[in-house]
Amino acid sequence: MNLLVLTSTKGSYNSIRPEAEIYISLLKFGYNITIMTQQNSEYASRFREHGIKIIDEHYKKKISPNTIKKIRSVIKKENIDIVYAANSKSISNAVIACIGTKVKLVTYRGTTGGLYRHDPSAYLNALNPRVNGVICVSEAVTKHVRKQIFSKSKKVETIYKGHDTSWYDTTPVNLEPFGTNNQNFNIAFVANVRPHKGLIYLLKAAHKLAKYKDIHIILIGENISQEPYISEIKKSGMQEKIHLIGFRNDAPQIIASCSVLVQASTRKEGLPRVILESLAGKTPVIASAIEGNAEIIEDGFNGFIVPIKDADAIAEKIIQLYNTPERLKEFSNNCAYTIENKMSHRTTTEKYNNFFNALIKDKK
């Protein structure tokens, strides 16, 4: 099968890896793969090492005549069977490029919401009749997409973007340069912060944690040193024990060195990568009850699910794990089980292969 992938591989190696490794693993099923992506990205050289053809593309516009022409040219030259468009700008260009061709067009959807029948832009995305299939990153996303599509023949399926524990160096790092130490009960929070990431609720929870001398919070990511977060940190009583360390390429190792990760998003999460990275490093997660989180975190097994926007509940679960180290250890042991059995890269690749083959066999 000849597969053309349209995607962006800009970003850190760890952030790209769960998607990029799918294409490499599909080679064992006999695929001939061409990827239109940034040829100078970190993953492009790894693709080339495995015999995947790279065509340089940066997807700067939703509708680009040059990009559309390039896609059509590759479809014809490489005798493409399936085009898989994996980000929004590649999808809109692919929809137009595939008109008049016999290829099957598959799109990716990674967030709940944002795709509605009444929105004209949705018809340059998954709702376009030219789209034959949609791969959704979680059941929550699949549910949303199915409510919006008109055609019952469009194949819509959940395929988790799985991970592999062997990808991560989870050797604990020394936390002292960040202002704490590895013997403390350290709470990790990772995000390039926007309001819906819910950082404010962890900081409000910190008011109830202040009396515990060895509880520290490590905040990893961009856009944290601003209001209202700085004021909330100052009011928390934990100002000296809340550590802002900015963006880090070694975030998975830092998370693996912590006691627990808090993921407090209030909306718009398909399948949060940071939770999967945390589980791969055997660090339990306290997560808000948005649908995507609840598909990964089993309450009372590998972490806790708490109500959305509930700072008191976050504090309560942190204190509970702080006071019961034996339960924290049990949760930690269950984290790797989730990755290896429910969220494995191997299963992801097999499902992608089955999805693509089913489309090719469909004569409709």
Side-chain angles (χ1 to χ4, degrees):
M1 187 186 300
N2 297 324
L3 174 66
L4 172 60
V5 177
L6 313 176
T7 191
S8 173
T9 49
K10 287 179 66 178
S12 69
Y13 196 84
N14 282 334
S15 68
I16 301 303
R17 194 169 196 172
E19 177 194 346
E21 289 294 329
I22 294 169
Y23 312 132
I24 293 171
S25 292
L26 282 173
L27 294 172
K28 69 183 179 184
F29 293 103
Y31 287 75
N32 297 310
I33 300 178
T34 302
I35 299 181
M36 285 179 58
T37 191
Q38 298 87 354
Q39 66 178 358
N40 60 350
S41 64
E42 285 196 62
Y43 240 92
S45 60
R46 179 159 167 78
F47 288 147
R48 292 190 191 94
E49 288 171 7
H50 286 81
I52 293 174
K53 183 178 293 185
I54 302 296
I55 297 174
D56 189 40
E57 182 55 53
H58 292 252
Y59 304 106
K60 294 180 179 179
K61 298 179 180 179
K62 285 275 188 181
I63 299 177
S64 166
N66 288 335
T67 301
I68 293 166
K69 183 179 179 181
K70 189 183 295 186
I71 294 169
R72 289 182 67 87
S73 174
V74 176
I75 290 171
K76 183 177 180 180
K77 182 179 180 182
E78 302 295 335
N79 194 25
I80 297 297
D81 299 299
I82 290 180
V83 173
Y84 176 47
N87 64 12
S88 61
K89 289 180 181 177
S90 72
I91 291 171
S92 53
N93 284 289
V95 164
I96 299 172
C98 290
I99 292 173
T101 72
K102 295 181 179 180
V103 299
K104 298 289 187 178
L105 174 58
V106 179
T107 65
Y108 170 79
R109 191 75 191 168
T111 59
T112 56
L115 187 78
Y116 301 102
R117 291 183 180 185
H118 62 264
D119 180 0
S121 69
Y123 297 91
L124 280 175
N125 205 292
L127 299 194
N128 191 283
R130 187 59 187 81
V131 175
N132 303 103
V134 185
I135 291 176
C136 302
V137 77
S138 69
E139 290 291 348
V141 175
T142 296
K143 180 180 177 182
H144 173 71
V145 172
R146 284 181 175 159
K147 285 176 65 177
Q148 303 305 318
I149 62 173
F150 292 97
S151 174
K152 299 299 181 184
S153 64
K154 198 187 297 282
K155 185 175 177 62
V156 182
E157 187 173 317
T158 301
I159 305 180
Y160 294 129
K161 196 178 285 184
H163 287 228
D164 190 317
T165 54
S166 69
W167 292 347
Y168 299 101
D169 173 11
T170 54
T171 305
V173 297
N174 181 10
L175 298 178
E176 289 184 3
F178 308 132
T180 180
N181 63 61
N182 297 64
Q183 287 69 50
N184 287 329
F185 188 98
N186 296 297
I187 303 159
F189 180 95
V190 183
N192 290 328
V193 172
R194 289 158 337 258
H196 76 268
K197 291 296 182 179
L199 172 58
I200 194 68
Y201 301 102
L202 172 58
L203 298 179
K204 288 181 181 296
H207 292 248
K208 292 195 171 185
L209 306 176
K211 65 181 180 181
Y212 299 91
K213 293 182 179 180
D214 54 349
I215 290 183
H216 287 243
I217 298 174
I218 301 176
L219 304 180
I220 307 167
E222 298 175 343
N223 304 322
I224 296 175
S225 299
Q226 61 178 313
E227 296 298 344
Y229 311 117
I230 295 301
S231 292
E232 197 65 42
I233 289 170
K234 290 177 180 177
K235 293 188 297 183
S236 69
M238 287 188 68
Q239 186 172 357
E240 302 302 319
K241 296 189 293 178
I242 297 177
H243 314 285
L244 285 65
I245 66 173
F247 173 81
R248 300 284 304 193
N249 283 319
D250 58 349
Q253 292 96 311
I254 297 171
I255 296 169
S257 307
C258 291
S259 303
V260 67
L261 173 83
V262 170
Q263 207 282 2
S265 290
T266 61
R267 60 179 177 86
K268 281 189 176 180
E269 298 286 356
L271 196 75
R273 187 186 76 251
V274 69
I275 291 183
L276 295 173
E277 290 178 345
S278 188
L279 297 183
K282 297 185 177 181
T283 299
V285 180
I286 297 171
S288 56
I290 58 174
E291 290 176 301
N293 289 351
E295 290 181 45
I296 317 172
I297 299 303
E298 299 178 56
D299 191 51
F301 179 75
N302 54 9
F304 288 120
I305 295 292
V306 297
I308 297 169
K309 300 182 179 180
D310 193 333
D312 288 343
I314 293 172
E316 177 189 334
K317 295 305 182 183
I318 290 171
I319 293 168
Q320 186 174 333
L321 290 177
Y322 174 82
N323 287 328
T324 55
E326 66 283 354
R327 192 167 198 198
L328 181 65
K329 184 176 181 180
E330 177 187 338
F331 281 12
S332 178
N333 291 336
N334 292 338
C335 288
Y337 177 89
T338 302
I339 294 293
E340 292 165 2
N341 292 275
K342 186 177 179 180
M343 300 287 177
S344 74
H345 168 72
R346 181 192 70 255
T347 300
T348 295
T349 306
E350 290 171 353
K351 288 188 173 182
Y352 264 75
N353 178 52
N354 293 340
F355 187 97
F356 291 152
N357 275 289
L359 272 184
I360 290 298
K361 291 175 183 177
D362 186 358
K363 301 299 182 182
K364 295 180 181 180

